[in-house]
Amino acid sequence: MVNGLRRVKISGLGTYVPPNVLTNADLERMVDTTDEWILQRTGIRERHIVEPGTGTSDIAEPAVRQAMDEAGVGPDDIGFIVVGTTTPDTVFPSTACRLQARIGARRAWGYDLGAACSGFTYALTAGWSMVATGAVEHALVVGADVMSSIIDYTDRATCILFGDGAGAVVLSPAGSDEPAIIDFLHEIDGSGGDALCMPAGGSRMPASHETVEKRLHYVKQDGQTVFRFAVKKNEDLALRMLERNQLTGADLDLYCSHQANRRIIEATASRLGLGPGKFVVNLDKYGNTTAATIPLALADARAQGRLKKGNLVLLASVGAGFTAGAVLLRWSL
Ligand code: UT7
């Protein structure tokens, strides 16, 4: 990747989803949809949803504590906290600040990172750079979203897609013979901004009675435009990433991408020549948890014995913005 920098590894992984489950059958009772349509078009069966009043830091904290336990680091060891999220507890202060206080990381600084579904891949790279340059010893990278707080449960086009969840990793310096993060490749294409957005609540359209009445504080999506971009861009980034590292799909042990739609994941997996054992699909259980999908997918793959120390893994994401990213690494846990 870049010469003269420290090698960086994932030293701990943690995840959390709230206990309440919203199934396709539940949604059939809420909007004009069917279990069959949702399953065929997306691959989603159920998603986890928080109790009202729960913030992103509430669900991120257990994931963070689990990751720190595995890494064997305490609050004072953390120098940097970056939280990929589209649903911060509050517009300000950041969820990174709230988490810093909750875990008592007295020596850390940090911020929230707004990259929607690419929140985890981007945050991982921000954390990598802090450890790689030696600016900090250990960085906490979080991907967490309470999507149910911005979903219109009267809109069948979007409410079936999303769920709530959190994931976190600790990044630490890697020894010369230890598996480590290898490369990253990120892009944005802001021309796609209106295809997936929350129109109101920002500086351009602050909250008012009118914005609430018009239901503008919810996710709006032109699904087909996003779908087409995601398929094309996932494939493009994956192939470029492999090529510039003199690799092919056959070298990968696991393709672990953002979980938005089973068809998007399978399209890229097929282009890379990956069989079913070589890519992760777990959105049937969680839906699209935005910044949390990749750590949740890594944790499931690990629990199933499909992700082992030394494995070559390609992470990939496409999200609102448009944002797109890929991270190549050797699994270090
Ligand atoms: O993570 C961030 C990135 N997001 C994504 O990657 C999402 C990308 N997009 C998608 O995954 C897909 O576009 C969706 C799953 C959102 C939609 O699937 P689609 O195959 O593109 O369906 P569509 O929007 O073209 O809709 C097809 C039909 C329409 O009816 P008509 O016009 O053909 O009569 C929709 O009104 O399906 C209808 N429809 C539904 N029917 C039953 C839309 N939502 C539903 C629903 N239940 N929930």
Side-chain angles (χ1 to χ4, degrees):
M1 187 177 332
V2 187
N3 292 328
L5 295 172
R6 297 200 293 190
R7 302 173 76 250
V8 180
K9 66 177 182 183
I10 291 176
S11 54
L13 167 68
T15 57
Y16 178 80
V17 290
N20 289 352
V21 172
L22 182 68
T23 65
N24 290 353
D26 294 329
L27 286 162
E28 282 179 349
R29 291 188 283 275
M30 295 161 65
V31 289
D32 180 16
T33 192
T34 61
D35 173 50
E36 190 191 4
W37 191 98
I38 301 172
L39 210 47
Q40 276 182 4
R41 299 284 177 131
T42 71
I44 301 167
R45 291 177 190 277
E46 59 188 36
R47 55 303 277 140
H48 291 247
I49 302 291
V50 299
E51 294 287 348
T54 306
T56 293
S57 68
D58 293 316
I59 62 169
E61 185 182 350
V64 162
R65 291 194 183 278
Q66 205 184 327
M68 287 172 62
D69 279 353
E70 181 169 24
V73 298
D76 285 347
D77 299 318
I78 302 292
F80 179 66
I81 303 172
V82 55
V83 182
T85 187
T86 306
T87 53
D89 292 36
T90 46
V91 172
F92 73 91
S94 68
T95 300
C97 291
R98 296 192 187 274
L99 270 175
Q100 180 273 342
R102 291 177 78 132
I103 63 172
R106 293 176 301 166
R107 299 185 176 150
W109 71 285
Y111 49 79
D112 289 358
L113 186 152
C117 297
S118 298
F120 187 77
T121 50
Y122 283 23
L124 191 61
T125 305
W128 166 85
S129 67
M130 294 301 295
V131 179
T133 55
V136 304
E137 233 11 57
H138 303 280
L140 192 52
V141 174
V142 182
D145 272 296
V146 176
M147 290 306 292
S148 61
S149 65
I150 55 167
I151 292 301
D152 182 351
Y153 285 98
T154 67
D155 175 14
R156 70 175 183 174
T158 51
C159 74
I160 55 130
L161 299 172
F162 295 93
D164 302 333
V169 296
V170 175
L171 297 180
S172 308
S176 56
D177 53 355
E178 278 187 291
I181 293 172
I182 299 167
D183 198 2
F184 62 85
L185 181 55
H186 300 308
E187 285 182 3
I188 60 172
D189 177 356
S191 69
D194 290 334
L196 178 51
C197 65
M198 187 172 91
S203 52
R204 182 188 290 180
M205 205 189 292
S208 67
H209 288 294
E210 194 188 350
T211 59
V212 172
E213 272 160 23
K214 289 186 172 167
R215 309 183 82 76
L216 297 177
H217 295 271
Y218 293 122
V219 171
K220 308 285 177 194
Q221 176 171 239
D222 170 357
Q224 286 196 8
T225 300
V226 180
F227 187 95
R228 280 195 296 270
F229 182 85
V231 169
K232 206 164 110 245
K233 188 50 72 179
N234 266 338
E235 181 181 313
D236 169 42
L237 286 189
L239 291 174
R240 279 161 52 203
M241 172 68 98
L242 291 174
E243 192 185 345
R244 79 182 196 183
N245 285 279
Q246 289 88 51
L247 298 165
T248 69
D251 296 304
L252 286 179
D253 295 300
L254 201 69
Y255 172 64
C256 186
S257 90
H258 171 55
Q259 308 277 311
N261 188 312
R262 171 184 269 275
R263 292 181 288 145
I264 297 175
I265 301 166
E266 288 179 346
T268 310
S270 150
R271 186 70 179 79
L272 298 180
L274 305 175
K278 291 281 196 88
F279 62 93
V280 188
V281 176
N282 71 345
L283 81 175
D284 52 321
K285 294 193 293 183
Y286 305 124
N288 181 349
T289 55
T290 303
T293 57
I294 291 176
L296 284 169
L298 287 169
D300 272 3
R302 182 163 69 151
Q304 292 161 5
R306 297 170 58 199
L307 178 58
K308 301 200 177 76
K309 192 168 184 170
N311 279 173
L312 187 65
V313 182
L314 181 62
L315 311 182
S317 62
V318 170
F322 294 121
T323 56
V327 177
L328 184 69
L329 54 86
R330 284 214 177 265
W331 188 245
S332 43
L333 295 173

